[in-house]
Amino acid sequence: MTLFEVAAPVASGLATDTHTASQQAKAAELDRTLEGLATLEDRIKAIRAAIDGTVAFSTSLGIEDQAITHAIATTGTDIDIFTLDTGRHFPETLDALFETEGKYGLKIRVMYPDAAEVEELVANDGIYGFRYSVEARKACCEVRKVRPLNRALKGAAGWVTGLRREQSRGRAHVHFASYDAAQKLIKLNPIADWSLAKLEDYVATNKVPLNALHAKGFPSIGCQPCTRAIKPGEDIRAGRWWWENENGKECGLHTQGEDPKSETKDRSA
């Protein structure tokens, strides 16, 4: 083994560490900047100005993401908008997609799971196999959501989401901007500090199109077999994977790049 062969991996590791440190510092600075801005529109424009390269926004077409889509569209900000079609959506979710594209004159990129992987999953676990165990349900989420997300974010420098601190205890400390080590990009949550009341006022004032299920007791909307309306007094995410008793349910979209020892780890995606 030559000296070059020994030194090359070391140099590569140092370059990676330096890049990571630089991105973490940029995220911390942007986190402070976004906190100081009063409007969602200003936050969206600041995100685009601060991030070099592609900024992608993953929308579930729920109320939080619809507010962000409105701000992106009305400011004309160059942000790539995509959604994950798991093959198990409510018809109302697809209606919201159609209505949103029509209202704002934009095209939302739709990402699908790999057909062969879905076929293998169903062949092994059954059509509703995800209800047999937490592990089977997470395997379904992995194929239908996590892997398509990873493909959608490939090459992006920033990832915008609709996470809010008020959504769950696991999200209580979510930052406006942080470095996602798994995706190797800066993750951005421009409405992290918004209350539900502020969110509802924003979409009402701006006549933002909403998924019809929100008016039917669905504050959080996922796949049709895995989501139900909540009962009065229940947590807003009680309708997700309701048959599970596990404390801290998640699908994996927002946990891949976080430190498992971190108190801010999100377990409620």
Side-chain angles (χ1 to χ4, degrees):
M1 182 177 291
T2 67
L3 178 61
F4 175 78
E5 289 172 327
V6 173
V10 175
S12 176
L14 290 174
T16 299
D17 290 344
T18 300
H19 175 75
T20 298
S22 173
Q23 291 300 295
Q24 289 173 333
K26 177 181 283 190
E29 180 180 357
L30 184 52
D31 184 65
R32 293 189 291 270
T33 297
L34 295 176
E35 184 175 19
L37 296 175
T39 71
L40 175 55
E41 288 75 11
D42 285 343
R43 288 175 176 178
I44 291 295
K45 288 186 284 187
I47 286 169
R48 179 63 276 185
I51 304 293
D52 297 324
T54 299
V55 176
F57 167 45
S58 57
T59 175
S60 68
L61 300 158
I63 184 171
E64 287 87 0
D65 294 339
Q66 288 296 89
I68 294 173
T69 296
H70 173 85
I72 291 172
T74 55
T75 58
T77 306
D78 179 23
I79 291 179
D80 171 43
I81 306 176
F82 71 89
T83 191
L84 307 177
D85 189 337
T86 65
R88 293 285 179 83
H89 281 323
F90 288 90
E92 289 89 344
T93 300
L94 301 180
D95 289 343
L97 172 60
F98 178 77
E99 185 180 357
T100 301
E101 288 187 326
K103 177 179 175 64
Y104 297 112
L106 50 78
K107 195 69 176 178
I108 295 175
R109 187 160 55 105
V110 181
M111 300 297 297
Y112 298 92
D114 181 89
E117 291 180 351
V118 172
E119 288 178 1
E120 181 180 3
L121 176 75
V122 174
N124 291 336
D125 294 352
I127 197 69
Y128 277 2
F130 48 81
R131 291 187 180 171
Y132 294 142
S133 70
V134 174
E135 291 71 24
R137 194 267 296 167
K138 289 183 178 180
C140 186
C141 290
E142 171 72 20
V143 168
R144 294 181 184 273
K145 298 172 74 174
V146 177
R147 294 179 188 176
L149 174 79
N150 292 341
R151 286 191 286 111
L153 292 176
K154 187 175 181 179
W159 172 23
V160 178
T161 88
L163 297 183
R164 292 188 300 113
R165 294 168 187 161
E166 194 182 80
Q167 288 170 329
S168 69
R169 285 180 298 175
R171 295 178 180 177
H173 304 287
V174 70
H175 295 286
F176 291 107
S178 60
Y179 181 69
D180 187 305
Q183 300 292 352
K184 295 182 173 56
L185 48 65
I186 296 177
K187 187 173 181 181
L188 305 137
N189 309 298
I191 58 171
D193 60 340
W194 279 26
S195 66
L196 179 59
K198 181 171 183 176
L199 176 62
E200 291 177 334
D201 180 67
Y202 180 88
V203 298
T205 299
N206 292 289
K207 296 180 172 58
V208 177
L210 295 180
N211 190 318
L213 290 174
H214 285 311
K216 299 176 181 178
F218 290 78
S220 178
I221 304 166
C223 294
Q224 187 277 332
C226 301
T227 312
R228 65 161 172 79
I230 65 170
K231 301 171 185 177
E234 282 190 313
D235 181 83
I236 64 171
R237 296 186 67 81
R240 302 295 294 276
W241 310 297
W242 70 92
W243 62 89
E244 293 183 10
N245 294 318
E246 180 191 20
N247 180 27
K249 297 174 289 186
E250 51 86 15
C251 69
L253 292 183
H254 299 292
T255 60
Q256 299 179 86
E258 299 184 0
D259 183 348
K261 297 179 182 179
S262 171
E263 294 181 357
T264 64
K265 182 176 181 181
D266 167 39
R267 295 182 177 272
S268 307

